[in-house]
Amino acid sequence: MSKKKIINPEQVRETASVSRRDFIKQGMAAGVGAATLAGCVTAPSAQGTNAGGTKWDYEVDVLVIGAGASGLPCAIRARNAGLSVLVIDQNFDLGGKMLHSGGQVSFGGGDPCQLRDIAGQGDKEGFVKVPPLHKPAEMTEDTDFLFKDITDWSVLDVGAQAPYRYQDRELHRAWADNCPATRQFLMDNYVRFTRIQGTHPGGGVSRARRATTFLMLGDKTDIKAGTVTRQDAGIDGKSSSHFAPRLMESAAKWASPGAVWNGAALTRGLEYSAREKGVQFMFNRRMTELVREQPFAGRVLGVKAHYTPRFDRSTKERLESYKQNGNLDERREFISIRAKRAVMVSTGGHGANPQFRSMFYPAFNEPAFVSSGFALLGPNGQDASGIIAGMRIGANLAGMQQNLGTTQSFHIPPRLATRDSYSDMLPGHPTFQFRQSTGITLGTSSYEHMIAVNQVGSRFFNEMQIAARYGTPVWPGGPRVGVPKPSMQHVQGDWRNCSADWVRQMYVGNPALDAAMAMNEGSQAPHFYSGPLWAIFDRGTIERDKWDIEPPFTADNGYFFSADTIEALVRKIEKNHEFQRVPLSRLAETVRKWNSYVDAGADPDFGRGKDAPMHKIVKPPFYAAAICPVWHDSYGGLRINGKAQVLDMQGTVIPGLYSGGEASGGGNQHGLGRALCHGYIAGSSIAKEPA
Amino acid sequence: MQLTAWDMPTAIVAGQRFKFALGVRCAEGCNLGGRDFSLIDQQGAVVDTLKLGREIWPGTEALYVAEVEVEAPRETGHHHWQATIAGVGMQLPHAAGAIQLSISVVGAPDCEVTIRAVDREQQTPIRNALVVMHPYRTVTDDNGIAKIRAARGQYDILVSGFRYLAASTSVEVKDDLVTVAELDVDQPWTSQEEDLA
């Protein structure tokens, strides 16, 4: 353990993590009472020790649960106000889903990136050299316009779902009003944005609002300088890194040559700033209970949390965070943490909790299918724990229906042979070992070279449609995404956007996922699991379409098999796949029937052969690669108001409790724009909380 | 015994010789090198008796393969043959194995159809594009051109290429004809690109 004294939070920079005991001892030796240390997590004061009847182990002004897209901005914002801030996270590193995201952030309302591009200017560091990608009019707006866009009742997508109709109004008024400030806040905290390019799903139809976070390739990884090495950014087809679990790809067309983008640029920038400012972190710590003065009344006082380390499978050593300055290394099984001003629940969503998510879609009680970032976040990620903890002390929920009708929540990613099918992580990041394979990434055209079967080996849909996802109604709009008039011609709030005639004209339903998740011959009481799905193909597929089936894209991990015959393939799957609960009894017959359809030139079962050539599956070896639906976005969670305060069933604020991002409900904007702004709002509100 | 057959031509001109591959594997991976198997026609007559290769086929665990060359029936249409292999005569008893083979026999071609596959945006040729004009199949050459000798009739033509979305068209073949298939590039998805949806 480090012997370095930690008294002033600014001295936290670039020091090793310390244990709590050493930390307190050093503070005392320095002649500063632990209870009076400004800006630091402390031992509880004599007054605070038994507040609420709980024996507290730590005391802090603001406790943030979850170091992701809403947690980190909240933490920094609260720290800016001079408050002591501790962030706990169930994982061994920060970032949550933000770390493996694309770093695409839609704000608007006249945010700084829009204004910069409208003026034709670059960024202050000179990284953004390409000219603006949109005309000024396409980015010109104010927060009133943004609010109207983001709550437009009339807009439908091509599945006839209304993505903006059910947005909580107060919440989105606050969101719109804070978008410009949040963008500036991020830019002030080491986050670099490219040119505005289009708008992210759920970000509105009428204007271009999305910019992507990036860094510049350089000789060293230096967040302050805005650079990252090629090694840390990842090497295409070869490796990822602890810095970035997914390859950072070229952002040349949005910034300049040498720019690379994804959520690592956002995450590591915010991390650098948080640590620099003295935010402290405690990893491997999962919140299990919110402590309130009374079960359903009074102030939230703090949390109880237990120790959730993750270990390297080979070395058995505990996994550690990328950076460690400012970490508190607490290893006791259970601890309690007092939050004098506020607790921020930013624990992410519920996509990994089959019990919770099956409230929305019963077929997703199937445990075989996980949330995105399964390997990265570990078994406690996306587990709805924050939402459930809030419910237990009387919090209301909101937006629970918004999971449905959007392709951003549950869908089938175009990636085979890995359970963690959302992302294409390569070896290098410490969590690659928990998925073992990158997966075989397919384009739309690749599906002509395979058939897809359910847990008994029967086909269930036209394979060309399996991973097809229709676009969502965002800028530039247009019929392709369900909006009658494109670009600047779109009319907000116009009944013609959702007329029955228009719906008939533009509707493109695709129930491939629903067919995949349907009950089948193998579904048995009481759970009626739909079971695993398999892509079946042969050597001919590899020869024609050049699929990458060698490691690291596949592995001997139960999600990819090869065999000399279909019968031998069946035996391998049944023996080695953890969720193959029933015999794959139909597969041989399905393949035989498929081959006969190819001979006949038509597929009477699912209509293949009109959209792309069909190919027989006959040339050994034969392959089976798992098709894994994923629950990516979570919509629906704790009900919050425009200050990110959590509300109870009576609509009353629960004092001292805040939430944002996917732990909260009432909105369904995909991705980072929602969560980051919530965090900004929460931190701003917390700063005004009475001491 | 488990059998599989591949590289079977999809449109075999009546009476002409054609080739395909046949593979056999014992479920327990027994050595089948040099064993006999038979081809039986739709009437039950033995067309030929051949031997499996002696070595395991590369890339497989225990598959033994034979290259087969036989003469097609003289009648057009779909013919259902069988390939069979006996289970007797081995150290351990084996069940016999069989597989149905679909032989698609067509009449002599009348016309030549030339298909040119190009990138729609760049207007550059696409080599090795798959061309299906059922029951005929081929691939384009280095110049993006495929030629199919076919009987007169109405056909749907499907063309797909590596990392290209398939294109389709319908033609009526009365004489030699040339058609162009313009294909759009298919973007392989990374999850970052999914975020762009």
Side-chain angles (χ1 to χ4, degrees), chain B residues 67-86:
Chain B
E67 296 288 327
V68 178
E69 183 174 345
V70 286
E71 187 176 298
R74 295 190 180 274
E75 299 76 30
T76 61
H78 286 290
H79 298 259
H80 298 290
W81 289 8
Q82 259 203 343
T84 65
I85 186 165

Side-chain angles (χ1 to χ4, degrees), chain A residues 260-508:
Chain A
V260 288
W261 65 283
N262 75 15
L266 172 62
T267 306
R268 297 302 181 199
L270 289 176
E271 175 182 20
Y272 186 91
S273 183
R275 292 186 187 277
E276 185 179 52
K277 289 178 175 177
V279 171
Q280 290 179 276
F281 294 89
M282 184 188 292
F283 294 114
N284 310 302
R285 190 57 58 179
R286 176 176 179 267
M287 186 265 293
T288 53
E289 185 181 331
L290 288 163
V291 179
R292 198 171 176 184
E293 281 177 323
Q294 292 166 54
F296 297 103
R299 191 172 187 78
V300 167
L301 300 174
V303 308
K304 295 180 181 175
H306 84 276
Y307 184 50
T308 53
R310 299 175 72 189
F311 297 94
D312 185 289
R313 284 180 170 170
S314 305
T315 65
K316 310 298 181 200
E317 292 189 3
R318 192 180 73 168
L319 297 182
E320 302 295 340
S321 56
Y322 173 69
K323 289 288 187 190
Q324 282 151 38
N325 52 310
N327 284 4
L328 291 174
D329 188 6
E330 172 61 71
R331 300 193 186 211
R332 283 177 288 176
E333 189 66 28
F334 291 100
I335 61 170
S336 299
I337 306 171
R338 173 88 165 91
K340 291 186 290 184
R341 298 245 190 154
V343 172
M344 169 67 171
V345 174
S346 38
T347 46
H350 48 262
N353 185 327
Q355 285 302 317
F356 197 99
R357 70 190 188 191
S358 57
M359 285 195 290
F360 308 102
Y361 197 157
F364 264 95
N365 66 342
E366 171 59 79
F369 307 135
V370 295
S371 178
S372 56
F374 172 72
L376 177 69
L377 302 177
N380 296 309
Q382 308 289 305
D383 66 354
S385 56
I387 303 170
I388 294 169
M391 290 164 68
R392 286 202 173 113
I393 59 162
N396 199 352
L397 302 176
M400 304 307 277
Q401 88 289 0
Q402 287 182 301
N403 269 324
L404 301 175
T406 166
T407 58
Q408 305 301 327
S409 50
F410 36 85
H411 60 271
I412 300 179
R415 193 161 294 106
L416 311 177
T418 180
R419 191 175 183 205
D420 202 347
S421 58
Y422 177 76
S423 79
D424 49 1
M425 185 194 287
L426 289 159
H429 191 270
T431 59
F432 184 81
Q433 59 184 297
F434 302 117
R435 58 186 285 164
Q436 299 175 289
S437 58
T438 297
I440 308 168
T441 301
L442 303 181
T444 303
S445 60
S446 297
Y447 287 82
E448 78 177 59
H449 300 281
M450 54 169 262
I451 60 171
V453 300
N454 61 20
Q455 65 178 344
V456 295
S458 296
R459 290 173 68 212
F460 53 86
F461 211 71
N462 181 330
E463 285 81 0
M464 301 303 295
Q465 297 299 315
I466 279 172
R469 285 160 62 197
Y470 48 78
T472 55
V474 292
W475 175 273
R480 191 182 63 85
V481 294
V483 180
K485 295 182 180 171
S487 310
M488 305 295 286
Q489 299 167 47
H490 168 64
V491 180
Q492 290 176 329
D494 185 32
W495 66 272
R496 294 171 190 84
N497 293 332
C498 55
S499 72
D501 283 342
W502 171 242
V503 172
R504 274 188 279 273
Q505 205 175 317
M506 62 81 165
Y507 181 82
V508 177

Side-chain angles (χ1 to χ4, degrees), chain A residues 11-290:
Chain A
Q11 290 178 348
V12 171
R13 252 177 266 139
E14 299 309 318
T15 61
S17 63
V18 296
S19 72
R20 172 184 172 274
R21 185 167 297 143
D22 278 0
F23 171 77
I24 300 301
K25 205 159 57 171
Q26 289 153 25
M28 292 298 192
V32 182
T36 62
L37 287 170
C40 289
V41 179
T42 65
S45 64
Q47 186 183 3
T49 299
N50 287 311
T54 301
K55 188 174 182 309
W56 304 106
D57 299 296
Y58 289 88
E59 191 172 87
V60 67
D61 290 331
V62 180
L63 177 61
V64 176
I65 306 163
S70 55
L72 280 182
C74 175
I76 295 171
R77 195 92 178 110
R79 188 76 194 106
N80 282 349
L83 302 173
S84 61
V85 180
L86 174 64
V87 181
I88 68 172
D89 197 289
Q90 58 85 20
N91 206 7
F92 67 94
D93 199 359
L94 53 74
K97 283 202 300 186
M98 174 171 59
L99 184 58
H100 86 149
S101 74
Q104 320 227 13
V105 185
S106 286
F107 286 129
D111 77 50
C113 286
Q114 290 177 310
L115 296 178
R116 176 192 71 188
D117 285 12
I118 289 167
Q121 295 168 346
D123 60 315
K124 63 182 180 187
E125 292 171 297
F127 294 151
V128 179
K129 295 192 169 73
V130 302
L133 302 170
H134 288 281
K135 298 177 188 142
E138 296 171 354
M139 299 177 282
T140 301
E141 58 173 332
D142 57 22
T143 56
D144 287 339
F145 187 87
L146 174 63
F147 174 56
K148 199 171 168 193
D149 217 35
I150 204 89
T151 54
D152 190 335
W153 70 275
S154 70
V155 171
L156 300 179
D157 64 21
V158 294
Q161 301 293 319
Y164 304 112
R165 184 177 294 171
Y166 306 105
Q167 310 281 53
D168 182 285
R169 290 157 186 186
E170 185 202 343
L171 186 57
H172 285 77
R173 180 74 248 187
W175 181 83
D177 287 341
N178 282 278
C179 271
T182 305
R183 182 85 81 185
Q184 187 62 52
F185 165 82
L186 296 169
M187 292 162 71
D188 292 339
N189 286 278
Y190 300 111
V191 178
R192 284 87 175 178
F193 285 105
T194 65
R195 289 291 185 205
I196 295 282
Q197 357 95 28
T199 297
H200 220 40
V205 178
S206 303
R207 291 292 182 270
R209 300 174 172 129
R210 172 181 56 198
T212 302
T213 61
F214 75 97
L215 290 167
M216 300 300 294
L217 288 175
D219 294 333
K220 57 179 184 167
T221 295
D222 182 341
I223 294 297
K224 214 158 188 163
T227 60
V228 62
T229 62
R230 181 75 262 177
Q231 192 72 30
D232 279 347
I235 299 172
D236 195 4
K238 285 195 162 47
S239 63
S240 64
S241 72
H242 199 160
F243 179 91
R246 290 172 53 220
L247 174 72
M248 300 181 77
E249 297 183 54
S250 170
K253 55 187 175 182
W254 306 323
S256 58
V260 288
W261 65 283
N262 75 15
L266 172 62
T267 306
R268 297 302 181 199
L270 289 176
E271 175 182 20
Y272 186 91
S273 183
R275 292 186 187 277
E276 185 179 52
K277 289 178 175 177
V279 171
Q280 290 179 276
F281 294 89
M282 184 188 292
F283 294 114
N284 310 302
R285 190 57 58 179
R286 176 176 179 267
M287 186 265 293
T288 53
E289 185 181 331
L290 288 163

